[in-house]
Structures are given as structure tokens and as C-alpha cells.
Amino acid sequence: MPNASQRSRRRRPASIATVLCILLAIAAPAARAIAEPLIALADVDLGEVGRGLVRQSTISICNAGDGRLTFSNPGGSVVTGLGDGFTASTKDLEKLATASLGAGECFRLTISFVGSTPGPHSATIRVWASTRSTRDTAVLRAVVTEPSPQLGGYDFGARQSSSAASSCTKNPVASYVSEVWLVNLGSGSLTVASIGLDGDGVGGAIRLDTSDGAPRILRGDIIREATANDTPRHAQRVIFAPDGERVYGATMVIGFTDGSTVRATITGIGIESHIGVEDSVSFGVVAAASLPARRTVSISADGTMPTTITGATLVGDAAFSIVGGTDALPVTLAPGQSHTFEIDVRRASEGMHTTTLVVTGDFSRCDDSTTTITAVLSGVGAAETAEAHTGALLVTPSITSDRATVRFSLDRTAVVRLELLDALGGRVTLVDGETFDAGSHAVALDAAALASGHYTCRLTAGGRRTTSRLLIVR
């Protein structure tokens, strides 16, 4: 009978065989699995998608094993679980259903997502392989955002014309500046695609400050959403330089890469301090007997802000003088108020006299500060009749704008012809062959219909011809 040692030696070979069989049994399925196709999917995160926008991505469906990987679903589509905004085209799904992937090959399926309700969205899809093995599902994710850009406009209000726009203004400020702010009070971020101004005064009175160091909103800037603890603000400096008295307005327009825009209005009013003076003041024809003559010149504050008159002088003919109005200077006039100066013309040589009234002050328009003053003196030192001049001819006044009298004397009865000739030889007959007795006579002359200029009055009587000069002015 075998002892214990012999029985142990006889069992050992059996134990080794058993172990080998067990190892082969374990290894056989693993070998068969490696030789089979193996489907592998990866999750897809499409990130932030603006509300109403569409974003696409691809999901890779790969064969990570051996053999051929094919797809089929007896109950319907080879991809199930799409929804909540995630879709795939029917054409792509049909291609996948007929695809055959070798080891290491992938099929890229395009996934589209349409942003609708703000917030997170997800879908778990299953890809139906003919041989189900390992992972056959994937998670699709996206977050719908609804950015809400807010752009604050700005009203500069009433600002005096800039010194850069008017050489006469006493305003030392060349331009006014302010900052316009852009914030995002919604969810998700925005990227700036463009910024500009539309409307009145763009590029001149209202413009964006593009100088180095100025706060600016630039293309490519990302406008992030506000949080409970922080509201990121982006500043753009705007320049206002009014060049006159009027209302200005422009619209700032900022466009974003998602196609949206935001607008804000920039406004301002240009004001000036300036005066109004008549272009010219005429005394008309002034007879020597009425000298000195006086006229009132009114200076009004025609601007939209108070103006101060500091002085008034006459430049030119010494026949004129300021006799009143300067003692109150300087005087500040509110818009619509006026101040007067009294101007006298005194005895001087016969003919036209001209001077210029120059007003000084803090007004903005230099071309509104002067006016021309004229007077025509007649009969200064001349006889008013022709009584002392037998056969003489005299027109009084010798300078007129409407009426005059032609006076002549005869030493005997004669046939008289009286004519008025202009510088070009044109002729107006006043008396044509009438007989006048000896003595002094007067003929009225209506010059209202005659053009301005120099005329010669010619008397022909008794074989003699006499002339006199006449100036018609308007």
C-alpha cells in the first residue's frame, strides 16, 4: 500500500494540469475579446451658446478593438437619445448606419445645438453597434447664454463753442470729454466686432477719442457677464467740440461677433456769446441847415449766453463822433437785451462821409462787431438859390436819394431846354422847348426812379449852355 509520500507525488502532476487548464480557460475569452471590435465614444461639450444661435461640433465614434465595427438598430436610428436642442442630420445618420470601421478608424458625426432657454442643457446618446462592447454612450453638453449689453449714452448739455472752432471766442477750452460705459448684465460673454458713430457732427463736433492712453473699447474686447460681486465695465472716451450755436447728436453703435448690436445717443448744445449790429447805418442826405444830425445805433446780444461790451470806437471820417452810450461801459447783456450808442455827424465838406463803428467785448463772432456809418452832406457853404447868378444853374441838394430842385435864372425871355445826362450819355429831358420869362425859376426833379451815380444837369437857353452836377445815392 503506498505511503503518504507516494500519494503526494502522484497528485502533483494532476494539480499542475488543473492549474494550466484554469489559466487557459481564463485567457481564452480575453484573446477572443481583443480580436473583436470595440466601440469608443467621447463626451462633447459645446460650451456657451448665445440664445437663438446655432453651434456645431463633432463626436468621434471609433473602433478601439480588432475586426470590423458596424452599426444597426432593429428598433430605429443607430443614434438615440438626441434632444434638448441637440440634433444630427438624417444624412449623417444614414451614413453611420452603413459605415464599417476597421481597427483604429473613426466616424465623425456632426452635432448641432440651437440655443433656446438660457441655462445648462445636456443629452445622453447611445450609438447602436452591431456588436455591443464596452462604452456605447456619450454625454452632450451646452450652456445657453443670454448676454445683455448695456451702453450708457451721454448728454454734454450746453457748452460754449470751442476755442479750436472760433478764433474770436474767449473760451479757453478746446473740447469737452466724457466716458461712455459698456457693461454686460446678462449671462455669457460677448466679443466686440466694431465700434463707431453715426449722425450729426460725427468726426467734428462729436468724435471718439482714439489717442494713446485714452479709455477705449476695441475690436476683440471680451465683454464678460456681471456677477454678484463684480460688474466689469468698459469705457470709451468721447470728445465734444461744438463749432457753433446749434444742437448736436450722434449715435454710438457697437457690434458683436454674434451679430448683435447695442446703441446709445451722444448729445450736446453749442452756445455762443455774440452781438448783433446792423450791417450799415445811413444818415441819408443831410442838409447843412440840419447839422449836427444824430442817429442811434443799437447793439443787441443775439447769442445764447450773456455777452459783455467793453468798448466802442469810430474809425475813419472825423465828421462823426460818439456822444452817448460809452459812459455805461462795460455793460453785460443777457440774451435778447440791447445797448445803444448815439452817433452825431457835424459840419464837414459837402459829399459822402463814411466811418466804421468798432465794438469790442467777449463775444464769439468777430465779424459781428463792426458796422459802417454813412452820411451825405449837401449845401455846405453853397447858395440855396440861383438868384445871385444870372443865367446860372443850380441843383439843390446836389446829392439826393429821391428828390431835388433845379433852379436857374434868365436875364431875358428865352426858350428853355433842361436835360439830365448820366455817365454813359443817357438822357432824361426835364423841360423841352418851353418859353420862360426873365427871372428865377425852379423845376422839381424826381430822382426816385433813377439809378445811383453821377449826373450832369444841362440848361440850354438864349444860345447859352450851362451845367451843374448831381449825385444820386441810395
Side-chain angles (χ1 to χ4, degrees):
M1 180 176 194
N3 58 31
S5 178
Q6 290 174 333
R7 288 196 300 270
S8 175
R9 285 195 297 269
R10 285 198 294 267
R11 285 197 300 269
R12 185 174 301 148
S15 297
I16 293 173
T18 301
V19 171
L20 290 174
C21 288
I22 293 172
L23 291 175
L24 289 174
I26 295 173
R32 287 195 299 271
I34 293 174
E36 294 178 354
L38 177 64
I39 187 170
L41 307 177
D43 294 343
V44 175
D45 189 348
L46 281 79
E48 293 184 354
V49 182
R51 185 174 182 177
L53 301 180
V54 177
R55 181 168 295 175
Q56 291 184 326
S57 185
T58 58
I59 180 171
S60 295
I61 303 169
C62 300
N63 182 2
D66 292 326
R68 306 299 298 181
L69 177 62
T70 59
F71 307 89
S72 65
N73 179 10
S77 174
V78 294
V79 177
T80 58
L82 290 169
D84 198 15
F86 297 93
T87 61
S89 71
T90 302
K91 186 176 181 180
D92 282 353
L93 294 175
E94 290 175 350
K95 287 183 179 180
L96 177 61
T98 60
S100 177
L101 305 179
E105 293 181 339
C106 296
F107 182 94
R108 287 177 175 79
L109 178 66
T110 300
I111 299 295
S112 298
F113 178 76
V114 179
S116 54
T117 305
H121 294 256
S122 65
T124 301
I125 64 170
R126 177 182 176 185
V127 179
W128 292 73
S130 299
T131 301
R132 180 178 179 181
S133 182
T134 316
R135 187 178 185 188
D136 61 356
T137 62
V139 179
L140 309 178
R141 295 184 180 87
V143 177
V144 177
T145 63
E146 191 172 24
S148 179
Q150 305 290 319
L151 180 63
Y154 191 78
D155 181 12
F156 282 92
R159 302 283 186 163
Q160 189 175 356
S161 293
S162 70
S163 58
S166 173
S167 59
C168 289
T169 185
K170 306 304 185 293
N171 178 23
V173 178
S175 60
Y176 307 89
V177 297
S178 183
E179 292 178 356
V180 174
W181 295 93
L182 174 65
V183 299
N184 181 4
L185 300 181
S187 62
S189 58
L190 287 166
T191 302
V192 175
S194 63
I195 178 172
L197 288 175
D198 290 331
D200 182 34
V202 172
I206 299 177
R207 61 185 185 273
L208 301 179
D209 189 347
T210 58
S211 60
D212 292 340
R216 298 172 62 186
I217 297 173
L218 300 173
R219 181 179 180 182
D221 281 354
I222 297 176
I223 313 303
R224 304 193 182 282
E225 63 185 275
T227 65
N229 300 320
D230 181 40
T231 301
R233 299 200 303 169
H234 299 256
Q236 172 62 59
R237 182 176 291 170
V238 180
I239 298 174
F240 179 46
D243 54 10
E245 274 183 320
R246 60 190 180 95
V247 176
Y248 298 84
T251 301
M252 181 181 293
V253 182
I254 299 179
F256 302 97
T257 54
D258 67 355
S260 62
T261 59
V262 64
R263 299 170 181 269
T265 301
I266 313 298
T267 57
I269 301 173
I271 59 175
E272 290 181 345
S273 59
H274 59 85
I275 61 173
V277 187
E278 298 175 72
D279 289 339
S280 62
V281 176
S282 175
F283 281 78
V285 179
V286 182
S290 62
L291 294 174
R294 180 169 296 179
R295 292 288 185 274
T296 298
V297 179
S298 180
I299 312 298
S300 60
D302 291 346
T304 50
M305 59 183 297
T307 185
T308 300
I309 298 174
T310 57
T313 56
L314 291 175
V315 178
D317 204 311
F320 301 90
S321 62
I322 301 176
V323 296
T326 57
D327 54 341
L329 300 181
V331 60
T332 298
L333 305 177
Q337 288 186 329
S338 60
H339 183 74
T340 58
F341 294 102
E342 300 292 332
I343 310 296
D344 272 6
V345 59
R346 56 182 179 269
R347 184 174 293 273
S349 60
E350 187 171 87
M352 177 78 76
H353 293 268
T354 302
T355 191
T356 300
L357 174 65
V358 179
V359 181
T360 56
D362 67 350
F363 34 85
S364 302
R365 297 182 184 173
C366 45
D367 57 349
D368 285 350
S369 60
T370 64
T371 187
T372 300
I373 301 173
T374 60
V376 178
L377 304 184
S378 69
V380 179
E384 291 296 317
T385 69
E387 314 288 352
H389 305 279
T390 300
L393 174 68
L394 181 66
V395 182
T396 58
S398 60
I399 304 173
T400 184
S401 59
D402 51 9
R403 296 183 179 277
T405 301
V406 180
R407 302 178 187 276
F408 61 93
S409 63
L410 301 174
D411 56 4
R412 60 181 182 276
T413 300
V415 176
V416 173
R417 185 176 182 82
L418 190 61
E419 301 169 298
L420 197 63
L421 293 84
D422 63 21
L424 299 177
R427 182 176 305 180
V428 178
T429 301
L430 305 177
V431 177
D432 188 10
E434 296 182 27
T435 300
F436 285 79
D437 294 332
S440 297
H441 304 276
V443 176
L445 170 62
D446 184 2
L450 299 177
S452 299
H454 290 278
Y455 289 83
T456 299
C457 187
R458 185 167 67 187
L459 171 69
T460 304
R464 292 185 296 177
R465 178 173 289 177
T466 307
T467 61
S468 183
R469 305 286 292 177
L470 171 67
L471 173 62
I472 297 177
V473 295
R474 293 286 183 264

